[in-house]
Structures are given as C-alpha cells and as structure tokens.
Amino acid sequence: MVKKIVIGVFCMISLLLLCGCTETDSGDQALDEVDSGDENIVSDDAEYIGTFYAAKTDDSLKFTLIFNDAENKLVTATGTAKLNIYDDYDNKIFEKEYVVDPSKAGTNSKYTLIVSLDDIEKGMTESGYAEVVFTSKTGNVINKITNSIQIPYYTEEEILNIAEQEFLENAVESGDSYELDDIKITALRSGFYTIPGEKSKKIFRVDLKIENKYGQPKDFTPSEVMVYSGTKEYPFTSGGSLNNVSKIPALGSVEGYWLFEDIPDNIEEPRVYFKNGRDSNGEWRLFDLNLE
C-alpha cells in the first residue's frame, strides 16, 4: 500500500547497500545530494521513523524512509538500517543491512531504497510486510513496520509440490506387502508430511499401493484403519487421497495415502493395520504391514 507524503518533493535518494562491510554499492539506485537549504532539516540522531512505506514496480520494491527528531523535525540520520521482508505467515524472505549516510539523503531527508524482486525469496502468501530496524551511530535503536506490501509468492500448486518433495526426501521406504484374494497391498513409504498454512501442521502419512489381480473390479472399503507401535494405537480419522478410492480396476492398481494425526515424532517400529472387506467365507480380510 502506497501512502502519499505531503512534502512536495519528488527526488529519490538511496541508502548505501552494506554487504557485511562499509563499502557502497549503489546498483540501480538514484542518488541525490542533501538539500541543506531546508530549515526544517537537521543533522542529528533520529528519535523515531516518521515515514516508512513500499511501492511495487514491475521489477522491484521501492521503500521510502524518513526520520524525525523529538520535535518532529526531519533528520538526516547516520547509522545502519536492517531491512527485513516477511510474508503474512511470518516467513522471512529478505534480509539485508544498509548504511544510512547524510550525504546520501535527498530533499526533506528522504531515503529511497530499491530492492530487486529477483533478490526476494517467494513467500507463501500474496502480500506481506516489512520492518526496518535503524541503529544510529550512538547506538540508539528504532524500528518501523509497513504492512500489505506486494511480494513474490508461490502458487498453490507450487506450495503443494514443495510439501510433496519434502515428504519424499525424508520418508522411510518400506516395501512390505500382503496378498489376499487377488488383492495385493504394499506399504510404499511413511513419514511426516507438512501441510502448509499460517500455522504449518506436521502429520503422519502412509503411502500404499493396491493391486487387483482379478479380471473384474474389486471394492476397496477399508475399515478400522490405524497406525500402531507396540501397544499404542493411532486411529485414522480423515485425510489423504485414498479417501477418494472405492474400487480397484480389473488387473489394475492404485497408489495413494492416508494421513494420521497426533503421532509422535519418535514413534518406533510403526505398522499400519486395516480390514478390507470380507472373503467368500464371510471372514474379514486383515492387512497388517510393517512401515520400516
């Protein structure tokens, strides 16, 4: 969100970019000289940041920063400013420290910092916020936050792909299988899966492959599904792609997963257990598979 500053100036001034040292790197920033003829500008320690906002261009975020003293006079501050940018889930997507030098301030002590969008990591939300933390040469620390800034962000599909890739990289492979009445079920892998969101949630996921070796479709109607370890049982409630599977095609197979809540990170020797229909004698078909 871009606020209007009623100061009647259009000069753009840059902060000096600090990459762990005191050397300057102006990049694509326009530098202006101090307008020393303005009686409202003083060179002294800043008491607070009066103005801090961001404007988005096609390829950058442009931040405007103005300091004030205790009497609300504009200040050409001296010190360093750390700029942090976050998405609305508080994930930090940019951080850099800059030199604040009076010789690089413009009319009415306005500093302008241009951050290339290519230098900002993608966020999990379309908008975010930024915080600037200024430390004066005498050690005084002040900060200000600006909200609702437009940031680069992941699409929903990209977020799901990231979660899937993270699961596959950390999952434990199994391969344990059991075949009964032309149905073969194999435990492929298991592990903790992160559901992205404002408060990311880690839940236990079990991937299965169900194969039908019969010439007609077979029902897939699992019941009493649970993960267990020793004497501890963790019943399945809902969640996962296998919820959408009710039949296995003739001589075909289906892969999918179940999600289980409240399973501890230190679970040992987990197994998955469930019933899947009845055989010709009316007995339950029982499947009990090792997940490690």
Side-chain angles (χ1 to χ4, degrees):
M1 179 183 295
V2 180
K3 299 179 181 177
K4 295 182 179 179
I5 302 178
V6 187
I7 302 183
V9 290
F10 298 93
C11 298
M12 293 178 58
I13 298 65
S14 274
L15 295 172
L16 295 176
L17 179 61
L18 181 65
C19 300
C21 59
T22 58
E23 295 180 1
T24 64
D25 180 6
S26 60
D28 58 356
Q29 304 173 48
L31 304 179
D32 294 310
E33 297 298 325
V34 176
D35 184 356
S36 56
D38 193 325
E39 295 180 355
N40 292 322
I41 300 178
V42 296
S43 295
D44 203 351
D45 263 356
E47 290 292 328
Y48 67 96
I49 299 170
T51 299
F52 177 53
Y53 70 89
K56 185 176 182 293
T57 68
D58 290 339
D59 57 4
S60 67
L61 283 176
K62 183 175 67 174
F63 291 88
T64 296
L65 187 61
I66 297 178
F67 299 94
N68 297 80
D69 66 7
E71 298 179 355
N72 296 328
K73 293 182 179 180
L74 303 181
V75 178
T76 52
T78 303
T80 61
K82 179 178 287 187
L83 176 66
N84 298 314
I85 304 175
Y86 303 85
D87 66 16
D88 283 334
Y89 291 164
D90 297 327
N91 298 306
K92 185 183 291 186
I93 57 176
F94 181 85
E95 177 181 4
K96 194 162 273 188
E97 192 172 50
Y98 302 87
V99 174
V100 179
D101 185 342
S103 69
K104 305 303 177 182
T107 51
N108 292 317
S109 191
K110 182 172 74 173
Y111 296 84
T112 300
L113 170 64
I114 300 174
V115 180
S116 171
L117 294 180
D118 292 337
D119 294 334
I120 304 174
E121 296 179 21
K122 287 185 177 181
M124 295 294 180
T125 57
E126 295 184 27
S127 64
Y129 64 97
E131 179 185 31
V132 63
V133 180
F134 172 74
T135 304
S136 72
K137 64 179 180 180
T138 59
N140 184 35
V141 179
I142 53 178
N143 73 305
K144 195 173 182 68
I145 291 175
T146 182
N147 294 301
S148 302
I149 64 175
Q150 298 179 54
I151 60 174
Y153 64 94
Y154 291 108
T155 65
E156 183 177 350
E157 181 179 359
E158 287 176 323
I159 291 174
L160 292 176
N161 288 338
I162 291 171
E164 182 71 14
Q165 187 61 36
E166 182 183 71
F167 168 76
L168 294 176
E169 290 176 355
N170 296 291
V172 176
E173 302 290 334
S174 173
D176 192 21
S177 63
Y178 188 75
E179 185 172 347
L180 184 63
D181 290 347
D182 296 318
I183 290 292
K184 180 181 179 181
I185 298 182
T186 303
L188 299 176
R189 65 190 68 85
S190 64
F192 287 93
Y193 176 77
T194 300
I195 298 179
E198 184 172 1
K199 295 182 179 179
S200 296
K201 184 177 182 181
K202 288 179 64 176
I203 54 180
F204 196 73
R205 171 173 153 178
V206 176
D207 287 17
L208 299 177
K209 181 178 181 180
I210 304 100
E211 299 173 82
N212 179 10
K213 299 187 176 183
Y214 187 61
Q216 296 292 329
K218 286 272 192 176
D219 290 337
F220 182 65
T221 55
S223 61
E224 297 185 30
V225 181
M226 71 177 67
V227 166
Y228 71 93
S229 171
T231 60
K232 294 186 178 296
E233 299 178 349
Y234 306 94
F236 170 78
T237 53
S238 63
S241 59
L242 286 178
N243 278 2
N244 302 320
V245 178
S246 59
K247 286 187 179 293
I248 310 302
L251 303 176
S253 65
V254 172
E255 292 188 19
Y257 61 88
W258 284 316
L259 299 175
F260 297 81
E261 298 183 357
D262 303 322
I263 294 184
D265 291 345
N266 60 350
I267 187 171
E268 296 181 353
E269 300 180 353
R271 304 180 69 87
V272 63
Y273 167 90
F274 57 95
K275 299 176 180 179
N276 183 40
R278 297 178 184 270
D279 60 21
S280 57
N281 297 319
E283 299 293 328
W284 285 108
R285 300 187 185 97
L286 305 178
F287 293 86
D288 187 355
L289 302 172
N290 181 20
L291 295 178
E292 293 185 344

